[in-house]
Each structure stands twice: as C-alpha cells, then as structure tokens.
Amino acid sequence: MEISAAPLIYVLIFVAVVVMVEGLYLTVFGKSISLDNRVSRRLALMQKNGNREQVLEQLRKEMSQHMASRGIPLYSLLASKAQKANIAFSPKQLVMIMGGLSVVAFIGLTFATEVDTPIRTAIAAMMGIGGVYFWVNKKAKKRIKMMEEQLAEAIELMVRSLRVGHPFASAIGIVAKEVPDPLGTEFGLIADEAAYGRNVAESLKSFAERMDNQDLRFLAVAVTIQQQSGGNLAEILDGLSKVVRARYKLFRRVATITAEAKWSGMFLSGFPLGALVAINLVDPTYYDAVYDEPVFIPAAIFVAVMLTINVLYMKIMTNIKV
C-alpha cells in the first residue's frame, strides 16, 4: 500500500507560513509588540524614544492605518481584523508579506510535490494570503479577549482614583501606567490626546467604534453624559464597572454552555475534509477511476458548497447574542 505525503506537506508548509509571519513580526518590532508583555507598548516606546509626541503620532498611525487602506485589492477582508488586532505592519507591508510568503510556499511546493504549475501557483497564493489572514484573525481574537478581561478592572481603578480626588484625565493616565497591554496602551493614547487638547469623551468614543465593543460604548456615553449634565462620575463608573463585570461573566457562561455545540459543529464540518485527506494518504489512486467522469467536477463543487453552507449554519446556530 502506497501512502501519499502530499496532504501532510501542505499542512506543514501552511504552518511554516504562519510561524514565519509571527517570527518576522517579533523580529521587526521586538518584545514590546507582544500582548503578554507586562509593560505596555506605549511605555516601552517612550522609554526607548523619550519623545511623547512622536510616540503618540506613531501609535495613532498604527491604530488607524488599516481601515484607511480598505481600497487595496484583497485587503478589505483583512482591514477590520487588522485594526482590531492593532497590527503594527502597514497595509502595504502586509500585502508584500502575503506575496513573499506565497513565493516561499511556491518554492516549498515545487521541491516537495509534483503538482502542476498552475495548481501549485494557486495553492501557494492561497497559503500566503490565508496564512496572513489566519495569523491576523488569531491576534484580533486574543487582543479583544484580553481587553474584555481588563476593562472592568480598569474602570474600578478609575473609580478609586476619582474618589481620592484625581481628575478624570489623571485617572485615565493611572490606568495607562498600571494596566498592561492591550488596554494600557489604548488608555495611554487617550491620556496623551487629552494632554494635547482633545476631548476625552471623543477619544473614548473613537476607541469604542474602532474596537466595535459595546462596553466601551457604555463608558464613552457615561463620560459624555457626565460632561454635559454633571453628576458624580465616580458613582456612575462604579455602577458601570459592575455592569461590565456582570456582562463578562454572562458571556463566559454562555461560552461554556455552547462549547460542546461549537466543538460538535467543528467536528462535523471538519470530518469530511479529514476523511478526504486520510483517503489520499492511504490510497492516492482512490479517485483515479472517477476523475474522467463528466459528473465528477459538478459533484465536487456541490459537495464543497454544501460543506460551506454547513459551516456557516453551524456558526450561526452557536453564535448566541447576549
């Protein structure tokens, strides 16, 4: 029995593409770009650069560059995720990385497989673009999750600062110093903008819209109402912190309840593809007898469409809005 190694080679090349993106990212920007770093990136840049204005300009450029470049071909699908992940690479750099990794994948496929050149080119392009998208999407999910975990604590820290007599701008500055990334850098940017004259409520609203986060919108609205109507901001934020923490607990509870259904959906969606790979591994000539049949291509397209519909419906059924 002959076992084909081609499917494993495809998987290994795709994994290598994703690892190369991460390695390049850390090489260019260093440890300050890592979300696991206890010191926020803003503080690390200020310690290295020493110029607060230049650091503010750099961070603002990084946080707004992706949505401003949605007109670049193939980049519109990536722009929103890249903005939420706050990828420091510029859009043109990401497109160049996609092209470079596609070339690397093509070279790997050339040496490791005997696939025809047009098919090899298409697979290499899919690996280069798909690898970058997979990496950016993973970064965005991790950053959003960490931000949701930090927000209630950050609001409580602002409440304590306000109750001891600090102004709201100073309370935001304290959050920027005490809370690690990703929230530390974001609130540091808001504090710097406030120091240069921008309204804090506007900065919070811009931050909430950029991250598309409802809890941040609540915070921006609470600060805006307090500025316009007055009131005890510490008490308002204290109530908001309890709401945010309760919402977070509810989200985690829903995620726990739907975990089994999500994994079942992933298994049912991935099993046909896994079976296809296993068949090709065990018997590479299994489909040779039907390749030339006129209904083979339409049947393959029909199966692919049905699998796609299955994946979409599984995702919709397990995506519970709270």
Side-chain angles (χ1 to χ4, degrees):
M1 180 178 62
E2 181 183 358
I3 297 178
S4 173
L8 293 178
I9 292 172
Y10 296 149
V11 173
L12 290 175
I13 291 177
F14 181 79
V15 172
V17 166
V18 177
V19 172
M20 287 177 66
V21 180
E22 179 69 18
L24 183 62
Y25 196 56
L26 293 177
T27 301
V28 174
F29 297 102
K31 290 183 65 177
S32 67
I33 203 68
S34 175
L35 292 178
D36 299 327
N37 194 9
R38 292 298 301 174
V39 179
S40 70
R41 183 159 188 259
R42 170 179 167 271
L43 294 179
L45 289 174
M46 289 183 66
Q47 184 178 5
K48 180 180 178 180
N49 192 345
N51 191 317
R52 184 178 182 181
E53 185 176 353
Q54 290 182 0
V55 172
L56 173 62
E57 182 180 356
Q58 178 181 347
L59 292 176
R60 291 189 67 180
K61 180 181 178 181
E62 290 176 359
M63 292 175 181
S64 62
Q65 60 184 346
H66 298 288
M67 293 304 290
S69 303
R70 286 175 293 179
I72 299 177
L74 298 178
Y75 196 76
S76 59
L77 299 175
L78 191 67
S80 177
K81 296 288 185 182
Q83 177 175 268
K84 292 177 181 177
N86 195 30
I87 300 299
F89 280 135
S90 68
K92 291 183 179 179
Q93 288 173 334
L94 276 178
V95 173
M96 292 174 61
I97 290 171
M98 289 180 188
L101 292 177
S102 298
V103 173
V104 171
F106 180 83
I107 294 173
L109 291 171
T110 301
F111 284 99
T113 65
E114 298 179 355
V115 183
D116 294 339
T117 301
I119 299 177
R120 192 162 63 241
T121 302
I123 294 175
M126 291 173 61
M127 285 185 174
I129 298 172
V132 173
Y133 184 86
F134 175 82
W135 174 75
V136 171
N137 186 54
K138 184 178 178 181
K139 287 281 186 183
K141 287 183 177 179
K142 180 180 179 181
R143 190 167 187 266
I144 291 171
K145 183 179 178 181
M146 292 181 67
M147 197 170 291
E148 290 173 347
E149 293 177 356
Q150 294 175 324
L151 185 57
E153 181 182 350
I155 297 175
E156 290 173 355
L157 182 57
M158 284 190 285
V159 171
R160 292 194 294 269
S161 300
L162 291 170
R163 283 176 174 170
V164 299
H166 292 293
F168 185 59
S170 298
I172 291 179
I174 292 173
V175 172
K177 293 179 181 179
E178 298 296 331
V179 178
D181 274 345
L183 211 56
T185 293
E186 293 284 357
F187 273 83
L189 178 64
I190 294 172
D192 289 341
E193 290 178 337
Y196 285 101
R198 187 179 185 184
N199 187 280
V200 175
E202 292 181 2
S203 297
L204 286 171
K205 183 179 179 181
S206 176
F207 175 35
E209 294 302 325
R210 176 158 46 84
M211 296 305 300
D212 192 22
N213 185 282
Q214 193 63 38
D215 292 332
L216 289 171
R217 291 192 181 99
F218 291 157
L219 177 59
V221 169
V223 174
T224 301
I225 292 174
Q226 193 276 336
Q227 287 182 346
Q228 296 176 354
S229 305
N232 190 333
L233 183 58
E235 294 299 325
I236 295 173
L237 294 183
D238 183 48
L240 178 61
S241 68
K242 295 176 182 178
V243 171
V244 171
R245 193 173 295 278
R247 278 169 54 85
Y248 178 74
K249 289 181 179 179
L250 181 59
F251 290 148
R252 296 304 98 194
R253 183 175 178 82
V254 170
T256 302
I257 294 172
T258 59
E260 182 180 356
K262 287 182 178 179
W263 279 103
S264 298
M266 291 173 60
F267 175 79
L268 292 174
S269 301
F271 179 78
L273 298 178
L276 179 62
V277 171
I279 290 172
N280 284 326
L281 280 171
V282 175
D283 187 4
T285 63
Y286 184 80
Y287 293 104
D288 287 354
V290 296
Y291 276 150
D292 297 329
E293 294 292 331
V295 296
F296 179 76
I297 298 299
I301 295 174
F302 176 77
V303 170
V305 171
M306 294 303 293
L307 279 175
T308 303
I309 294 174
N310 172 71
V311 172
L312 293 175
Y313 268 94
M314 286 292 183
K315 187 173 182 180
I316 292 171
M317 289 173 65
T318 57
N319 185 21
I320 299 176
K321 299 294 184 181
V322 180

